[in-house]
PDB file of all heavy atoms in Angstrom:
ATOM      1  N   GLN O  38     -56.971  25.034-222.917  1.00 83.00           N
ATOM      2  CA  GLN O  38     -55.938  25.958-222.444  1.00 83.00           C
ATOM      3  C   GLN O  38     -54.700  25.964-223.342  1.00 83.00           C
ATOM      4  O   GLN O  38     -54.065  27.002-223.512  1.00 83.00           O
ATOM      5  CB  GLN O  38     -55.529  25.591-221.009  1.00 83.00           C
ATOM      6  CG  GLN O  38     -56.639  25.757-220.000  1.00 83.00           C
ATOM      7  CD  GLN O  38     -57.044  27.208-219.827  1.00 83.00           C
ATOM      8  OE1 GLN O  38     -56.215  28.097-219.891  1.00 83.00           O
ATOM      9  NE2 GLN O  38     -58.331  27.435-219.640  1.00 83.00           N
ATOM     10  N   THR O  39     -54.360  24.838-223.911  1.00 87.00           N
ATOM     11  CA  THR O  39     -53.118  24.758-224.679  1.00 87.00           C
ATOM     12  C   THR O  39     -53.334  24.737-226.186  1.00 87.00           C
ATOM     13  O   THR O  39     -52.527  25.289-226.929  1.00 87.00           O
ATOM     14  CB  THR O  39     -52.332  23.496-224.282  1.00 87.00           C
ATOM     15  OG1 THR O  39     -53.156  22.350-224.480  1.00 87.00           O
ATOM     16  CG2 THR O  39     -51.894  23.562-222.835  1.00 87.00           C
ATOM     17  N   ALA O  40     -54.389  24.093-226.647  1.00 87.00           N
ATOM     18  CA  ALA O  40     -54.642  23.988-228.093  1.00 87.00           C
ATOM     19  C   ALA O  40     -56.125  24.265-228.346  1.00 87.00           C
ATOM     20  O   ALA O  40     -56.918  23.360-228.593  1.00 87.00           O
ATOM     21  CB  ALA O  40     -54.242  22.611-228.597  1.00 87.00           C
ATOM     22  N   TRP O  41     -56.502  25.532-228.312  1.00 86.00           N
ATOM     23  CA  TRP O  41     -57.900  25.934-228.425  1.00 86.00           C
ATOM     24  C   TRP O  41     -58.501  25.586-229.777  1.00 86.00           C
ATOM     25  O   TRP O  41     -59.703  25.377-229.903  1.00 86.00           O
ATOM     26  CB  TRP O  41     -58.048  27.429-228.158  1.00 86.00           C
ATOM     27  CG  TRP O  41     -57.180  28.270-229.036  1.00 86.00           C
ATOM     28  CD1 TRP O  41     -55.931  28.701-228.766  1.00 86.00           C
ATOM     29  CD2 TRP O  41     -57.510  28.758-230.340  1.00 86.00           C
ATOM     30  NE1 TRP O  41     -55.431  29.436-229.812  1.00 86.00           N
ATOM     31  CE2 TRP O  41     -56.384  29.494-230.796  1.00 86.00           C
ATOM     32  CE3 TRP O  41     -58.622  28.668-231.162  1.00 86.00           C
ATOM     33  CZ2 TRP O  41     -56.360  30.113-232.037  1.00 86.00           C
ATOM     34  CZ3 TRP O  41     -58.594  29.281-232.390  1.00 86.00           C
ATOM     35  CH2 TRP O  41     -57.478  29.997-232.830  1.00 86.00           C
ATOM     36  N   TRP O  42     -57.687  25.533-230.808  1.00 86.00           N
ATOM     37  CA  TRP O  42     -58.206  25.296-232.161  1.00 86.00           C
ATOM     38  C   TRP O  42     -58.776  23.889-232.335  1.00 86.00           C
ATOM     39  O   TRP O  42     -59.572  23.668-233.235  1.00 86.00           O
ATOM     40  CB  TRP O  42     -57.129  25.559-233.206  1.00 86.00           C
ATOM     41  CG  TRP O  42     -55.905  24.710-233.028  1.00 86.00           C
ATOM     42  CD1 TRP O  42     -55.688  23.480-233.554  1.00 86.00           C
ATOM     43  CD2 TRP O  42     -54.758  25.027-232.258  1.00 86.00           C
ATOM     44  NE1 TRP O  42     -54.469  23.009-233.157  1.00 86.00           N
ATOM     45  CE2 TRP O  42     -53.867  23.944-232.353  1.00 86.00           C
ATOM     46  CE3 TRP O  42     -54.387  26.121-231.489  1.00 86.00           C
ATOM     47  CZ2 TRP O  42     -52.642  23.922-231.715  1.00 86.00           C
ATOM     48  CZ3 TRP O  42     -53.168  26.099-230.871  1.00 86.00           C
ATOM     49  CH2 TRP O  42     -52.310  25.006-230.980  1.00 86.00           C
ATOM     50  N   ILE O  43     -58.396  22.956-231.465  1.00 87.00           N
ATOM     51  CA  ILE O  43     -58.927  21.593-231.566  1.00 87.00           C
ATOM     52  C   ILE O  43     -60.436  21.581-231.317  1.00 87.00           C
ATOM     53  O   ILE O  43     -61.166  20.792-231.919  1.00 87.00           O
ATOM     54  CB  ILE O  43     -58.198  20.660-230.570  1.00 87.00           C
ATOM     55  CG1 ILE O  43     -56.749  20.505-230.988  1.00 87.00           C
ATOM     56  CG2 ILE O  43     -58.879  19.310-230.485  1.00 87.00           C
ATOM     57  CD1 ILE O  43     -55.907  19.706-230.015  1.00 87.00           C
ATOM     58  N   THR O  44     -60.920  22.488-230.484  1.00 87.00           N
ATOM     59  CA  THR O  44     -62.342  22.574-230.192  1.00 87.00           C
ATOM     60  C   THR O  44     -63.031  23.660-231.012  1.00 87.00           C
ATOM     61  O   THR O  44     -64.159  23.486-231.469  1.00 87.00           O
ATOM     62  CB  THR O  44     -62.558  22.850-228.698  1.00 87.00           C
ATOM     63  OG1 THR O  44     -61.935  21.811-227.957  1.00 87.00           O
ATOM     64  CG2 THR O  44     -64.019  22.906-228.350  1.00 87.00           C
ATOM     65  N   VAL O  45     -62.369  24.788-231.202  1.00 89.00           N
ATOM     66  CA  VAL O  45     -63.014  25.942-231.837  1.00 89.00           C
ATOM     67  C   VAL O  45     -63.292  25.698-233.315  1.00 89.00           C
ATOM     68  O   VAL O  45     -64.382  26.029-233.812  1.00 89.00           O
ATOM     69  CB  VAL O  45     -62.160  27.211-231.631  1.00 89.00           C
ATOM     70  CG1 VAL O  45     -62.700  28.364-232.454  1.00 89.00           C
ATOM     71  CG2 VAL O  45     -62.116  27.585-230.168  1.00 89.00           C
ATOM     72  N   LEU O  46     -62.365  25.122-234.037  1.00 91.00           N
ATOM     73  CA  LEU O  46     -62.573  24.938-235.483  1.00 91.00           C
ATOM     74  C   LEU O  46     -63.707  23.959-235.808  1.00 91.00           C
ATOM     75  O   LEU O  46     -64.531  24.262-236.687  1.00 91.00           O
ATOM     76  CB  LEU O  46     -61.263  24.533-236.152  1.00 91.00           C
ATOM     77  CG  LEU O  46     -60.176  25.620-236.118  1.00 91.00           C
ATOM     78  CD1 LEU O  46     -58.917  25.141-236.799  1.00 91.00           C
ATOM     79  CD2 LEU O  46     -60.664  26.895-236.729  1.00 91.00           C
ATOM     80  N   PRO O  47     -63.809  22.799-235.134  1.00 90.00           N
ATOM     81  CA  PRO O  47     -64.988  21.965-235.393  1.00 90.00           C
ATOM     82  C   PRO O  47     -66.297  22.635-234.964  1.00 90.00           C
ATOM     83  O   PRO O  47     -67.323  22.487-235.627  1.00 90.00           O
ATOM     84  CB  PRO O  47     -64.734  20.700-234.568  1.00 90.00           C
ATOM     85  CG  PRO O  47     -63.271  20.656-234.387  1.00 90.00           C
ATOM     86  CD  PRO O  47     -62.828  22.076-234.326  1.00 90.00           C
ATOM     87  N   GLY O  48     -66.250  23.404-233.883  1.00 91.00           N
ATOM     88  CA  GLY O  48     -67.445  24.142-233.461  1.00 91.00           C
ATOM     89  C   GLY O  48     -67.848  25.179-234.484  1.00 91.00           C
ATOM     90  O   GLY O  48     -69.038  25.369-234.764  1.00 91.00           O
ATOM     91  N   LEU O  49     -66.867  25.852-235.057  1.00 95.00           N
ATOM     92  CA  LEU O  49     -67.143  26.835-236.106  1.00 95.00           C
ATOM     93  C   LEU O  49     -67.725  26.166-237.349  1.00 95.00           C
ATOM     94  O   LEU O  49     -68.627  26.704-237.996  1.00 95.00           O
ATOM     95  CB  LEU O  49     -65.860  27.591-236.448  1.00 95.00           C
ATOM     96  CG  LEU O  49     -65.980  28.761-237.402  1.00 95.00           C
ATOM     97  CD1 LEU O  49     -66.874  29.838-236.811  1.00 95.00           C
ATOM     98  CD2 LEU O  49     -64.605  29.329-237.699  1.00 95.00           C
ATOM     99  N   ALA O  50     -67.238  24.979-237.674  1.00 95.00           N
ATOM    100  CA  ALA O  50     -67.784  24.237-238.816  1.00 95.00           C
ATOM    101  C   ALA O  50     -69.242  23.864-238.571  1.00 95.00           C
ATOM    102  O   ALA O  50     -70.068  23.931-239.489  1.00 95.00           O
ATOM    103  CB  ALA O  50     -66.949  22.981-239.066  1.00 95.00           C
ATOM    104  N   ILE O  51     -69.572  23.494-237.341  1.00 95.00           N
ATOM    105  CA  ILE O  51     -70.966  23.164-237.005  1.00 95.00           C
ATOM    106  C   ILE O  51     -71.850  24.402-237.146  1.00 95.00           C
ATOM    107  O   ILE O  51     -72.952  24.342-237.712  1.00 95.00           O
ATOM    108  CB  ILE O  51     -71.059  22.584-235.584  1.00 95.00           C
ATOM    109  CG1 ILE O  51     -70.382  21.214-235.538  1.00 95.00           C
ATOM    110  CG2 ILE O  51     -72.508  22.491-235.112  1.00 95.00           C
ATOM    111  CD1 ILE O  51     -70.208  20.657-234.138  1.00 95.00           C
ATOM    112  N   VAL O  52     -71.381  25.546-236.664  1.00 97.00           N
ATOM    113  CA  VAL O  52     -72.158  26.786-236.762  1.00 97.00           C
ATOM    114  C   VAL O  52     -72.365  27.179-238.218  1.00 97.00           C
ATOM    115  O   VAL O  52     -73.488  27.533-238.629  1.00 97.00           O
ATOM    116  CB  VAL O  52     -71.466  27.917-235.971  1.00 97.00           C
ATOM    117  CG1 VAL O  52     -72.095  29.259-236.268  1.00 97.00           C
ATOM    118  CG2 VAL O  52     -71.517  27.627-234.481  1.00 97.00           C
ATOM    119  N   LEU O  53     -71.316  27.137-239.022  1.00 97.00           N
ATOM    120  CA  LEU O  53     -71.447  27.507-240.437  1.00 97.00           C
ATOM    121  C   LEU O  53     -72.383  26.570-241.192  1.00 97.00           C
ATOM    122  O   LEU O  53     -73.172  27.019-242.039  1.00 97.00           O
ATOM    123  CB  LEU O  53     -70.072  27.528-241.101  1.00 97.00           C
ATOM    124  CG  LEU O  53     -69.160  28.679-240.704  1.00 97.00           C
ATOM    125  CD1 LEU O  53     -67.788  28.520-241.341  1.00 97.00           C
ATOM    126  CD2 LEU O  53     -69.776  30.001-241.098  1.00 97.00           C
ATOM    127  N   THR O  54     -72.317  25.287-240.889  1.00 98.00           N
ATOM    128  CA  THR O  54     -73.209  24.328-241.535  1.00 98.00           C
ATOM    129  C   THR O  54     -74.661  24.592-241.156  1.00 98.00           C
ATOM    130  O   THR O  54     -75.557  24.565-242.013  1.00 98.00           O
ATOM    131  CB  THR O  54     -72.810  22.892-241.151  1.00 98.00           C
ATOM    132  OG1 THR O  54     -71.455  22.682-241.530  1.00 98.00           O
ATOM    133  CG2 THR O  54     -73.700  21.873-241.833  1.00 98.00           C
ATOM    134  N   THR O  55     -74.905  24.880-239.893  1.00 98.00           N
ATOM    135  CA  THR O  55     -76.266  25.141-239.426  1.00 98.00           C
ATOM    136  C   THR O  55     -76.833  26.408-240.046  1.00 98.00           C
ATOM    137  O   THR O  55     -77.984  26.427-240.517  1.00 98.00           O
ATOM    138  CB  THR O  55     -76.284  25.248-237.894  1.00 98.00           C
ATOM    139  OG1 THR O  55     -75.724  24.060-237.346  1.00 98.00           O
ATOM    140  CG2 THR O  55     -77.695  25.428-237.375  1.00 98.00           C
ATOM    141  N   VAL O  56     -76.039  27.468-240.073  1.00 98.00           N
ATOM    142  CA  VAL O  56     -76.509  28.730-240.660  1.00 98.00           C
ATOM    143  C   VAL O  56     -76.755  28.563-242.158  1.00 98.00           C
ATOM    144  O   VAL O  56     -77.766  29.047-242.698  1.00 98.00           O
ATOM    145  CB  VAL O  56     -75.506  29.866-240.378  1.00 98.00           C
ATOM    146  CG1 VAL O  56     -75.830  31.106-241.177  1.00 98.00           C
ATOM    147  CG2 VAL O  56     -75.483  30.184-238.895  1.00 98.00           C
ATOM    148  N   SER O  57     -75.870  27.869-242.854  1.00 98.00           N
ATOM    149  CA  SER O  57     -76.051  27.648-244.292  1.00 98.00           C
ATOM    150  C   SER O  57     -77.307  26.839-244.581  1.00 98.00           C
ATOM    151  O   SER O  57     -78.059  27.161-245.513  1.00 98.00           O
ATOM    152  CB  SER O  57     -74.840  26.919-244.873  1.00 98.00           C
ATOM    153  OG  SER O  57     -73.687  27.675-244.696  1.00 98.00           O
ATOM    154  N   ALA O  58     -77.560  25.809-243.797  1.00 98.00           N
ATOM    155  CA  ALA O  58     -78.760  24.995-243.995  1.00 98.00           C
ATOM    156  C   ALA O  58     -80.016  25.808-243.718  1.00 98.00           C
ATOM    157  O   ALA O  58     -81.023  25.673-244.428  1.00 98.00           O
ATOM    158  CB  ALA O  58     -78.713  23.758-243.097  1.00 98.00           C
ATOM    159  N   THR O  59     -79.978  26.677-242.722  1.00 97.00           N
ATOM    160  CA  THR O  59     -81.132  27.511-242.407  1.00 97.00           C
ATOM    161  C   THR O  59     -81.425  28.502-243.522  1.00 97.00           C
ATOM    162  O   THR O  59     -82.586  28.687-243.923  1.00 97.00           O
ATOM    163  CB  THR O  59     -80.891  28.256-241.084  1.00 97.00           C
ATOM    164  OG1 THR O  59     -80.614  27.304-240.058  1.00 97.00           O
ATOM    165  CG2 THR O  59     -82.091  29.088-240.693  1.00 97.00           C
ATOM    166  N   VAL O  60     -80.390  29.133-244.049  1.00 96.00           N
ATOM    167  CA  VAL O  60     -80.576  30.098-245.143  1.00 96.00           C
ATOM    168  C   VAL O  60     -81.078  29.388-246.399  1.00 96.00           C
ATOM    169  O   VAL O  60     -81.984  29.883-247.085  1.00 96.00           O
ATOM    170  CB  VAL O  60     -79.258  30.860-245.411  1.00 96.00           C
ATOM    171  CG1 VAL O  60     -79.334  31.659-246.694  1.00 96.00           C
ATOM    172  CG2 VAL O  60     -78.921  31.748-244.238  1.00 96.00           C
ATOM    173  N   LEU O  61     -80.525  28.243-246.697  1.00 96.00           N
ATOM    174  CA  LEU O  61     -80.962  27.485-247.866  1.00 96.00           C
ATOM    175  C   LEU O  61     -82.411  27.023-247.721  1.00 96.00           C
ATOM    176  O   LEU O  61     -83.195  27.097-248.681  1.00 96.00           O
ATOM    177  CB  LEU O  61     -80.047  26.281-248.088  1.00 96.00           C
ATOM    178  CG  LEU O  61     -80.350  25.424-249.312  1.00 96.00           C
ATOM    179  CD1 LEU O  61     -80.165  26.231-250.586  1.00 96.00           C
ATOM    180  CD2 LEU O  61     -79.464  24.195-249.322  1.00 96.00           C
ATOM    181  N   ALA O  62     -82.804  26.597-246.538  1.00 95.00           N
ATOM    182  CA  ALA O  62     -84.188  26.171-246.311  1.00 95.00           C
ATOM    183  C   ALA O  62     -85.156  27.347-246.432  1.00 95.00           C
ATOM    184  O   ALA O  62     -86.245  27.206-246.994  1.00 95.00           O
ATOM    185  CB  ALA O  62     -84.317  25.514-244.942  1.00 95.00           C
ATOM    186  N   ALA O  63     -84.763  28.503-245.937  1.00 91.00           N
ATOM    187  CA  ALA O  63     -85.622  29.687-246.056  1.00 91.00           C
ATOM    188  C   ALA O  63     -85.778  30.095-247.518  1.00 91.00           C
ATOM    189  O   ALA O  63     -86.881  30.455-247.959  1.00 91.00           O
ATOM    190  CB  ALA O  63     -85.049  30.831-245.238  1.00 91.00           C
ATOM    191  N   TRP O  64     -84.680  30.043-248.272  1.00 90.00           N
ATOM    192  CA  TRP O  64     -84.763  30.380-249.691  1.00 90.00           C
ATOM    193  C   TRP O  64     -85.655  29.389-250.431  1.00 90.00           C
ATOM    194  O   TRP O  64     -86.478  29.782-251.261  1.00 90.00           O
ATOM    195  CB  TRP O  64     -83.369  30.388-250.314  1.00 90.00           C
ATOM    196  CG  TRP O  64     -83.429  30.625-251.789  1.00 90.00           C
ATOM    197  CD1 TRP O  64     -83.509  31.823-252.415  1.00 90.00           C
ATOM    198  CD2 TRP O  64     -83.460  29.623-252.804  1.00 90.00           C
ATOM    199  NE1 TRP O  64     -83.569  31.630-253.772  1.00 90.00           N
ATOM    200  CE2 TRP O  64     -83.546  30.291-254.039  1.00 90.00           C
ATOM    201  CE3 TRP O  64     -83.418  28.233-252.796  1.00 90.00           C
ATOM    202  CZ2 TRP O  64     -83.591  29.612-255.239  1.00 90.00           C
ATOM    203  CZ3 TRP O  64     -83.466  27.561-254.000  1.00 90.00           C
ATOM    204  CH2 TRP O  64     -83.548  28.251-255.206  1.00 90.00           C
ATOM    205  N   ALA O  65     -85.499  28.111-250.139  1.00 91.00           N
ATOM    206  CA  ALA O  65     -86.308  27.092-250.816  1.00 91.00           C
ATOM    207  C   ALA O  65     -87.793  27.252-250.479  1.00 91.00           C
ATOM    208  O   ALA O  65     -88.655  27.062-251.337  1.00 91.00           O
ATOM    209  CB  ALA O  65     -85.827  25.697-250.431  1.00 91.00           C
ATOM    210  N   ARG O  66     -88.082  27.622-249.244  1.00 90.00           N
ATOM    211  CA  ARG O  66     -89.476  27.821-248.855  1.00 90.00           C
ATOM    212  C   ARG O  66     -90.080  28.995-249.621  1.00 90.00           C
ATOM    213  O   ARG O  66     -91.199  28.916-250.136  1.00 90.00           O
ATOM    214  CB  ARG O  66     -89.570  28.093-247.350  1.00 90.00           C
ATOM    215  CG  ARG O  66     -90.984  28.295-246.858  1.00 90.00           C
ATOM    216  CD  ARG O  66     -91.019  28.563-245.372  1.00 90.00           C
ATOM    217  NE  ARG O  66     -90.114  29.628-244.964  1.00 90.00           N
ATOM    218  CZ  ARG O  66     -90.412  30.923-245.011  1.00 90.00           C
ATOM    219  NH1 ARG O  66     -91.582  31.322-245.489  1.00 90.00           N
ATOM    220  NH2 ARG O  66     -89.539  31.824-244.615  1.00 90.00           N
ATOM    221  N   ILE O  67     -89.334  30.074-249.747  1.00 87.00           N
ATOM    222  CA  ILE O  67     -89.843  31.242-250.475  1.00 87.00           C
ATOM    223  C   ILE O  67     -89.931  30.955-251.965  1.00 87.00           C
ATOM    224  O   ILE O  67     -90.883  31.350-252.639  1.00 87.00           O
ATOM    225  CB  ILE O  67     -88.951  32.467-250.194  1.00 87.00           C
ATOM    226  CG1 ILE O  67     -89.120  32.915-248.744  1.00 87.00           C
ATOM    227  CG2 ILE O  67     -89.282  33.607-251.128  1.00 87.00           C
ATOM    228  CD1 ILE O  67     -88.157  33.992-248.329  1.00 87.00           C
ATOM    229  N   ALA O  68     -88.947  30.257-252.512  1.00 87.00           N
ATOM    230  CA  ALA O  68     -88.920  29.991-253.954  1.00 87.00           C
ATOM    231  C   ALA O  68     -90.039  29.064-254.390  1.00 87.00           C
ATOM    232  O   ALA O  68     -90.518  29.152-255.522  1.00 87.00           O
ATOM    233  CB  ALA O  68     -87.572  29.397-254.343  1.00 87.00           C
TER     234      ALA O  68
END
Side-chain angles (χ1 to χ4, degrees):
Q38 295 294 325
T39 57
W41 55 268
W42 59 89
I43 293 175
T44 302
V45 171
L46 294 180
L49 187 62
I51 292 170
V52 169
L53 288 175
T54 302
T55 304
V56 170
S57 299
T59 303
V60 169
L61 182 63
W64 176 84
R66 181 180 51 84
I67 291 172

